[in-house]
DNA sequence: TAGCCGACCTGTGCA
DNA sequence: ATGCACAGGTCGGCT
């Protein structure tokens, strides 16, 4: 874990003004990127719109096989099927450690341990899109980002239960703290950001666990 | 956490010869007790009211940490965390061999292999209380006993499905083959426990909701 | 093969 | 408010 520099600033997001895509073009924007450290260029690996199961009680994220095999190969040599730990950094500089493994039963690649905490802290909901990037530098640092689902993304079963999503890290249920900037199209209200200027760091109270984590704010773009 | 033996104790001190409990009084009754061998005095170690999970498909019994560490220490020296086999004798003189180990992930002590057979043979159900005793003799023989949950222990959800519990060893579902001999006291009234019904709740709180119901016959003192 | 068993994991409630 | 214990799960290996 090292990686300290917490440049809590969303960078990840680059210009997303236009496109719905993270703003992180294949070439790592990582803009205001504080300083040079760690600010190497990033290549975008792949995105996945999370399913209800990915954010539900199964506590796992299925990585589409073609992407998994291309970017996160696992050696299946007999014994090593235990999976590995992947360290990914989010836009706030926080490092997330996930167990990544292959489930024979479903013939799929999954992120298990650690994933549910990410879902909670970011308040991920079905349809939201998570993005994986990798530094083009020598360190090959991995990054993870996410953005709300676009309004056009239709996901049956998911209700508009909470139209307003609390600021990710905040976890204030049902309370919409802030507001949406011009993003438009994206989720109805999705506030992300609201008052941004500041960053709050709050911890999600669920707590308890060991790596708990706090983190600074936002992710996708918060703001 | 101090909680050393809280309520569930009492017996610890033995003496309750009177009580119908387990039939195995501190002093090894071991009645039909085969011969005198092994009939040394016993000290009661601890009881546990089994949870729905303990008797369900998980095939394991969680041993409350404070009791596990006190009575069944495992050396965790680096590698030996493989667990050990514990041999416990029941009131009928039968020896049960259980695998006893520590689960790092949940930080808990469990009986795994062999446990499901015990559950089945004794027809254990949530709320029933299993008791661990140990010979005070040189052999330190371990014993295991159980008794139906007291009627006062309320465990919703369990139906009166089988009002009659089959004789433990027989395992004929729903078919009451015999019994209910004089064992008496054991269930309905459970007075012995009477108020002590309390003691049974070593933690039952969550318990599943199963209903009270039956009561049946015996075993604990398996007549 | 289906079920047991071993090892993991997490949410929750309580201390 | 925080950490711990554990009830209730999962998957995979083995038999």
């Amino acid at each position: 874990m090292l990686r300290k520099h917490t440049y809590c600033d969303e960078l990840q997001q680059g210009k997303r003004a236009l496109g719905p895509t993270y703003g992180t073009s294949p070439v790592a924007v990582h803009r205001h990127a504080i300083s040079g450290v760690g600010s190497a260029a990033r290549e975008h690996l792949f995105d996945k719109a999370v399913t209800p199961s990915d954010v539900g009680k199964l506590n796992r994220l299925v990585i589409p096989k073609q992407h998994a095999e291309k970017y996160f190969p696992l050696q299946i040599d007999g014994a090593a099927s235990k999976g590995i730990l992947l360290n990914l950094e989010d836009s706030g500089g926080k490092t997330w450690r996930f167990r990544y493994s292959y489930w024979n039963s479903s013939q799929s690649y999954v992120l298990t341990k650690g994933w549910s905490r990410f879902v909670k802290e970011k308040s991920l909901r079905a349809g939201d899109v998570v993005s994986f990037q990798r530094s083009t530098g020598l360190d090959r640092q991995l990054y993870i980002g996410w953005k709300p689902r676009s309004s056009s993304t239709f996901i049956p079963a998911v209700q508009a239960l909470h139209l307003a999503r609390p600021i990710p890290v905040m976890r204030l249920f049902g309370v919409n703290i802030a507001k949406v900037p011009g993003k438009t199209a994206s989720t109805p209200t999705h506030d992300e950001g609201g008052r941004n200027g500041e960053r709050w760091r709050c911890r999600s109270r669920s707590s308890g666990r060991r790596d708990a984590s706090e983190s600074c704010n936002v992710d996708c773009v918060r703001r």
Side-chain angles (χ1 to χ4, degrees), chain A:
Chain A
M1 315 280 189
L2 13 132
R3 179 139 342 109
K4 58 176 354 29
H5 61 313
T6 38
Y7 33 95
C8 265
D9 61 331
E10 56 179 285
L11 0 107
Q12 158 139 312
Q13 172 36 144
K15 265 23 254 173
R16 121 219 236 314
L18 30 90
T21 350
Y22 314 102
T24 32
S25 44
V27 185
V29 180
H30 210 174
R31 341 72 107 330
H32 8 345
I34 303 322
S35 81
V37 182
S39 16
R42 298 181 192 177
E43 58 176 330
H44 179 264
L45 302 179
F46 63 92
D47 287 342
K48 181 185 179 183
V50 300
T51 66
S53 290
D54 289 332
V55 296
K57 302 178 181 177
L58 302 183
N59 300 310
R60 59 96 182 109
L61 171 73
V62 172
I63 303 294
K65 185 171 281 193
Q66 78 272 23
H67 295 132
E69 296 179 339
K70 182 170 182 181
Y71 303 111
F72 302 142
L74 279 178
Q75 41 267 47
I76 323 165
D77 53 30
S81 57
K82 303 271 302 177
I84 60 174
L85 290 179
L86 290 183
N87 292 303
L88 297 98
E89 190 176 310
D90 68 15
S91 63
K94 174 175 178 175
T95 294
W96 293 86
R97 173 169 291 188
F98 301 115
R99 171 182 288 281
Y100 169 65
S101 60
Y102 180 69
W103 280 355
N104 292 304
S105 57
S106 53
Q107 308 274 290
S108 55
Y109 293 90
V110 294
L111 289 188
T112 56
K113 184 178 179 184
W115 176 247
S116 64
R117 280 186 286 276
F118 184 83
V119 169
K120 243 187 229 150
E121 183 166 314
K122 307 302 186 186
S123 292
L124 275 197
R125 300 190 315 175
D128 288 347
V129 177
V130 290
S131 161
F132 293 86
Q133 300 112 41
R134 185 172 56 202
S135 166
T136 57
L138 293 176
D139 60 356
R140 302 247 112 187
Q141 170 65 48
L142 293 170
Y143 298 92
I144 184 170
W146 72 277
K147 74 182 195 83
R149 66 171 179 276
S150 73
S151 58
S152 61
T153 305
F154 183 53
I155 302 215
V158 161
Q159 265 345 339
L161 277 179
H162 355 21
L163 273 185
R165 185 202 300 260
I167 290 179
V169 198
M170 295 298 288
R171 297 250 53 195
L172 292 182
F173 298 84
V175 176
N176 183 344
I177 313 189
K179 229 9 351 41
V180 125
K183 214 307 184 241
T184 39
S186 108
T187 332
T189 11
H190 263 25
D191 33 306
E192 43 244 10
R195 47 235 301 35
N196 41 33
E198 30 208 40
R199 310 131 182 328
W200 348 14
R201 58 192 330 293
C202 347
R203 46 241 257 40
S204 66
R205 71 95 148 56
S206 89
S207 107
R209 259 104 215 303
R210 341 117 181 330
D211 26 305
S213 48
E214 48 325 34
S215 88
C216 346
N217 62 318
V218 165
D219 230 61
C220 40
V221 161
R222 140 135 348 2
R223 97 212 241 1

